[in-house]
Amino acid sequence: GSHMASTEEDRFSLEALQTIHKQMDDDKDGGIEVEESDEFIREDMKYKDATNKHSHLHREDKHITIEDLWKRWKTSEVHNWTLEDTLQWLIEFVELPQYEKNFRDNNVKGTTLPRIAVHEPSFMISQLKISDRSHRQKLQLKALDVVLFG
Ligand SMILES: *[C@@H]1O[C@H](CO)[C@@H](O)[C@H](O)[C@H]1NC(C)=O
């Protein structure tokens, strides 16, 4: 619940992670099981081989609750990324350097990435001003990847 999020930024990230968690938790039992993450990684994220990804996600945990997902996110390196770290990711990994200024203007940091990962349209279109649909999709998938897998 909302007790997990203390700042406004946290609140946005928590909402985004709750959406991702819901998308992954197919049987709606409150946890993400290995088969669920496997399917999500292959079908929604379009990875051919999900093995490394879901073993990273699950480690010893076969049932990932929203609290687990949130705790991991808060203690991940990506959560700590500065604007400069995030720009480096945008330029080198996403390969969309043309949005550097948009990211700068909006001070996009690690804590902003969950909002991109869920493809929040008001944020992606109105604030970041990314009008190209395929660019938004690419950014969304790459953001989802770093938010879930680091
Ligand atoms: C993130 O930053 C906090 C506060 O500076 C620090 O305590 C923590 O170790 C950092 N986490 C990682 C994974 O680097």
Side-chain angles (χ1 to χ4, degrees):
S2 55
H3 64 281
M4 292 192 280
S6 46
T7 64
E8 178 163 85
E9 216 161 48
D10 270 359
R11 202 163 45 74
F12 280 128
S13 313
L14 181 59
E15 275 171 22
L17 284 179
Q18 281 166 335
T19 303
I20 295 167
H21 192 272
K22 272 199 199 113
Q23 284 166 359
M24 295 179 79
D25 181 18
D26 272 336
D27 63 6
K28 308 285 168 226
D29 70 346
I32 303 164
E33 281 83 46
V34 175
E35 309 75 60
E36 287 170 340
S37 63
D38 189 69
E39 188 182 298
F40 183 81
I41 292 163
R42 280 184 293 106
E43 291 175 12
D44 296 64
M45 299 182 74
K46 317 254 181 269
Y47 284 106
K48 287 194 182 66
D49 182 3
T51 316
N52 286 338
K53 297 283 182 192
H54 69 67
S55 59
H56 176 93
L57 187 69
H58 285 278
R59 294 173 213 149
E60 300 303 309
D61 191 351
K62 303 294 175 227
H63 182 89
I64 300 170
T65 63
I66 178 63
E67 286 82 9
D68 298 331
L69 200 62
W70 179 246
K71 249 182 251 155
R72 284 177 198 207
W73 165 245
K74 293 285 282 182
T75 55
S76 74
E77 257 177 59
V78 179
H79 175 272
N80 279 6
W81 279 2
T82 61
L83 169 66
E84 295 305 324
D85 296 327
T86 309
L87 288 176
Q88 192 180 349
W89 167 81
L90 175 73
I91 294 163
E92 290 173 19
F93 290 91
V94 189
E95 298 177 316
L96 291 173
Q98 62 270 49
Y99 299 112
E100 179 176 344
K101 184 174 186 304
N102 312 39
F103 270 52
R104 253 184 218 290
D105 290 349
N106 286 281
N107 191 25
V108 175
K109 295 172 297 190
T111 49
T112 322
L113 292 177
R115 298 178 73 184
I116 297 177
V118 288
H119 208 301
E120 200 183 298
S122 60
F123 186 66
M124 299 278 269
I125 301 171
S126 317
Q127 273 181 257
L128 287 181
K129 305 205 186 313
I130 301 172
S131 52
D132 186 315
R133 187 162 175 271
S134 67
H135 289 172
R136 288 201 302 272
Q137 273 174 345
K138 187 174 183 191
L139 252 174
Q140 186 236 331
L141 278 182
K142 300 274 185 187
L144 190 55
D145 192 329
V146 285
V147 167
L148 287 177
F149 312 120

